[in-house]
Amino acid sequence: MKICTTIRETRAACRDARQGNKRVGLVPTMGALHEGHLSLVRAARAQCDAVAVSIFVNPTQFGPQEDLARYPRSFELDREFLEKEGVDILFAPSAEEIYPKGEITWVTVEGLSDKLDGRSRPGHFRGVTTVVAKLFNIVEPDAAFFGQKDAAQAAVIRRMVRDLNFSVEIVVCPIVREPDGLAMSSRNAYLNPEERRRALALRSSLLRVEQEFHGGERNAAQLMAVAKEVFAREPQVRVDYIEIVNPDTLDPVQQIAEPTLVAVAAYVGTTRLIDNVVLNPNGGKS
Ligand code: AMP
């Protein structure tokens, strides 16, 4: 595995990897890797000839009061995991490499960036789309792999790719969970044992919604009420949002007639966690 810290080296390595019409896959991450990230790497391996992974804790997607300074970092372990997965290129730049002094250009997906997590975390998606656009320009991947865990992020990136004519296929991979159902997240490391137990409220609320949906309920307000009941039983968990929306526009849906995203975000202690499920009225679980 070639480890690159500069844009120049990365461009050269990706150019070499692409020789002979090879398909290059990119998996952008912030490190502190877990099985969720590795599932994206495996999907990239299966669908591409060469795999590039980026590890970059992107400062511009954190708000001033958020956890940038204490975000978990485990570079050596991450490097070992990626080596074992047969990754070809690891791009691990510094913040200065990605954001040279005086940068004033941003990529914003207007009208989507302020929904769901974007509403609770102003500027978050602007940071995400700006860094992902940079990564696309540096690596020039044929395909890029993202997790359904961050469903709003996936919608924002799909839209950016469409609107800015990036020549990259966006592949969204299923949520990987702990055995008890908690969605894997680098932020789970912040939870103490009591909070870890309480965090299951996110998954339980979504399972209840799914149960009602499979029982025939199609009204979003009713489904939302069911999710709220679950959270009411766990008052120490503070709901940030429960939303039932179109998975592409992120606009609220009243009556479920098409595949619909049910997304939740909640604070467990000071840790903000997210999870979601897609309800598909045409049959098939997602
Ligand atoms: P992060 O390092 O949190 O920025 O995540 C990097 C990528 O991994 C994003 O596309 C996430 O959606 C994806 N990811 C994170 N957690 C999971 C998970 N539990 N299952 C699937 N993908 C995930």
Side-chain angles (χ1 to χ4, degrees):
M1 180 169 73
K2 185 162 176 47
I3 301 177
C4 306
T5 55
T6 66
I7 292 170
R8 199 188 156 91
E9 286 172 280
T10 309
R11 278 195 201 285
C14 292
R15 206 174 304 126
D16 287 350
R18 216 174 298 115
Q19 293 254 328
N21 222 4
K22 296 260 174 59
R23 186 172 154 87
V24 174
L26 170 67
V27 181
T29 82
M30 298 207 299
L33 301 180
H34 50 65
E35 281 294 318
H37 298 112
L38 298 183
S39 74
L40 306 185
V41 172
R42 287 171 201 143
R45 262 260 72 90
Q47 296 180 36
C48 300
D49 302 301
V51 177
V53 174
S54 60
I55 295 183
F56 180 59
V57 182
N58 175 33
T60 62
Q61 70 188 69
F62 288 78
Q65 309 302 327
E66 292 184 355
D67 56 340
L68 172 62
R70 68 172 189 135
Y71 194 82
R73 287 163 172 88
S74 54
F75 184 77
E76 276 313 305
L77 209 56
D78 293 351
R79 191 182 57 72
E80 280 174 35
F81 282 144
L82 297 176
E83 196 108 51
K84 274 199 204 113
E85 296 295 333
V87 166
D88 301 278
I89 299 164
L90 167 56
F91 179 38
S94 65
E96 296 71 36
E97 182 71 8
I98 294 292
Y99 297 108
K101 269 208 169 61
E103 233 190 41
I104 51 173
T105 304
W106 295 97
V107 177
T108 309
V109 180
E110 308 230 342
L112 274 194
S113 286
D114 53 359
K115 294 186 172 144
L116 303 191
D117 306 282
R119 188 174 325 117
S120 327
R121 305 180 66 189
H124 170 67
F125 284 132
R126 180 181 82 156
V128 170
T129 41
T130 299
V131 83
V132 170
K134 281 169 172 277
L135 291 170
F136 286 174
N137 283 330
I138 295 164
V139 173
E140 296 185 60
D142 299 280
F145 296 77
F146 294 89
Q148 173 65 20
K149 154 94 185 328
D150 297 85
Q153 170 175 283
V156 169
I157 287 168
R158 277 197 302 262
R159 189 60 193 238
M160 174 186 82
V161 164
R162 185 185 120 172
D163 290 356
L164 293 184
N165 311 100
F166 277 104
S167 167
V168 56
E169 180 195 349
I170 299 301
V171 180
V172 180
C173 301
I175 302 177
V176 177
R177 299 179 177 282
E178 299 287 354
D180 64 2
L182 181 69
M184 286 193 182
S185 163
S186 306
R187 290 191 167 95
N188 292 350
Y190 297 149
L191 304 172
N192 67 33
E194 187 56 31
E195 291 169 340
R196 173 67 183 73
R197 188 193 59 71
R198 290 195 182 119
L200 289 174
L202 281 88
R203 177 62 175 156
S204 310
S205 70
L206 294 170
L207 285 174
R208 274 290 291 126
V209 168
E210 259 194 325
Q211 198 181 26
E212 285 295 300
F213 176 76
H214 291 310
E217 185 60 72
R218 293 292 181 269
N219 183 273
Q222 295 295 333
L223 293 170
M224 206 109 82
V226 161
K228 282 184 184 153
E229 270 170 31
V230 174
F231 281 108
R233 276 185 255 126
E234 201 61 84
Q236 308 259 32
V237 174
R238 185 165 61 84
V239 175
D240 178 14
Y241 67 69
I242 305 171
E243 299 238 21
I244 301 186
V245 298
N246 176 294
D248 294 317
T249 64
L250 305 181
D251 284 329
V253 164
Q254 264 81 46
Q255 207 63 24
I256 295 168
E258 289 171 16
T260 298
L261 175 69
V262 184
V264 298
Y267 288 91
V268 183
T270 54
T271 306
R272 186 175 179 282
L273 300 176
I274 58 173
D275 200 349
N276 68 81
V277 67
V278 175
L279 303 177
N280 189 348
N282 312 314
K285 267 192 156 183
S286 46

